[in-house]
Coordinates of all heavy atoms in Angstrom, one line a residue:
F396 N -79.6 -22.3 0.3 CA -78.7 -21.3 0.8 C -77.3 -21.4 0.2 O -76.4 -21.0 0.8 CB -78.7 -21.3 2.3 CG -79.9 -20.8 2.9 CD1 -81.1 -21.5 3.0 CD2 -80.0 -19.5 3.5 CE1 -82.2 -21.0 3.6 CE2 -81.0 -19.0 4.1 CZ -82.2 -19.8 4.2
G397 N -77.2 -22.0 -1.0 CA -75.9 -22.3 -1.6 C -75.0 -21.1 -1.9 O -73.8 -21.2 -1.9
I398 N -75.7 -19.9 -2.2 CA -74.9 -18.7 -2.5 C -75.1 -17.7 -1.4 O -74.8 -16.5 -1.5 CB -75.1 -18.1 -3.9 CG1 -76.5 -17.6 -4.0 CG2 -74.7 -19.0 -5.0 CD1 -76.8 -16.8 -5.3
A399 N -75.6 -18.2 -0.2 CA -75.9 -17.3 0.9 C -74.5 -16.7 1.4 O -73.5 -17.2 1.2 CB -76.5 -18.0 2.0
K400 N -74.7 -15.5 2.0 CA -73.5 -14.8 2.5 C -73.7 -14.6 4.0 O -74.9 -14.2 4.4 CB -73.5 -13.4 1.8 CG -72.4 -12.5 2.3 CD -72.5 -11.2 1.6 CE -71.9 -10.0 2.4 NZ -72.0 -8.8 1.7
N401 N -72.7 -15.0 4.7 CA -72.8 -14.8 6.2 C -72.3 -13.3 6.4 O -71.2 -13.1 6.2 CB -71.9 -15.8 6.9 CG -72.2 -15.8 8.4 OD1 -72.5 -14.7 9.0 ND2 -72.0 -16.8 9.1
A402 N -73.2 -12.5 7.0 CA -72.8 -11.1 7.1 C -71.9 -10.9 8.4 O -71.4 -9.8 8.6 CB -74.1 -10.3 7.3
Q403 N -71.7 -11.9 9.2 CA -70.9 -11.8 10.3 C -69.4 -11.7 9.8 O -69.0 -12.4 8.8 CB -71.0 -13.0 11.3 CG -72.5 -13.2 11.7 CD -73.0 -12.0 12.4 OE1 -72.4 -11.2 13.1 NE2 -74.3 -11.8 12.3
P404 N -68.5 -10.9 10.5 CA -67.2 -10.8 10.0 C -66.4 -12.1 9.7 O -65.7 -12.3 8.8 CB -66.5 -10.0 11.0 CG -67.6 -9.2 11.7 CD -68.8 -10.1 11.6
E405 N -66.6 -13.1 10.6 CA -65.9 -14.4 10.5 C -66.4 -15.2 9.4 O -65.8 -16.2 9.0 CB -65.9 -15.1 11.8 CG -67.3 -15.7 12.3 CD -68.1 -14.6 13.0 OE1 -67.7 -13.5 13.1 OE2 -69.3 -15.0 13.4
G406 N -67.6 -14.9 8.8 CA -68.2 -15.7 7.8 C -68.0 -15.1 6.4 O -68.7 -15.5 5.5
N407 N -67.1 -14.2 6.2 CA -67.0 -13.6 4.9 C -66.0 -14.1 3.9 O -65.5 -13.4 3.2 CB -66.8 -12.0 5.1 CG -68.1 -11.4 5.5 OD1 -69.2 -11.8 5.2 ND2 -68.0 -10.2 6.2
H408 N -65.7 -15.4 4.0 CA -64.8 -16.0 3.0 C -65.5 -15.9 1.6 O -66.7 -16.1 1.6 CB -64.3 -17.4 3.4 CG -65.5 -18.4 3.5 ND1 -66.3 -18.4 4.7 CD2 -66.0 -19.3 2.7 CE1 -67.2 -19.3 4.5 NE2 -67.0 -20.0 3.3
R409 N -64.8 -15.6 0.6 CA -65.4 -15.4 -0.7 C -65.6 -16.7 -1.5 O -64.6 -17.4 -1.7 CB -64.5 -14.4 -1.5 CG -64.7 -13.0 -1.0 CD -63.7 -12.2 -1.9 NE -64.2 -11.1 -2.7 CZ -65.2 -10.3 -2.5 NH1 -66.1 -10.6 -1.7 NH2 -65.4 -9.3 -3.4

Side-chain angles (χ1 to χ4, degrees):
F396 285 77
I398 63 170
K400 173 181 159 184
N401 190 333
Q403 306 302 328
E405 66 278 1
N407 282 337
H408 59 284
R409 287 177 119 26

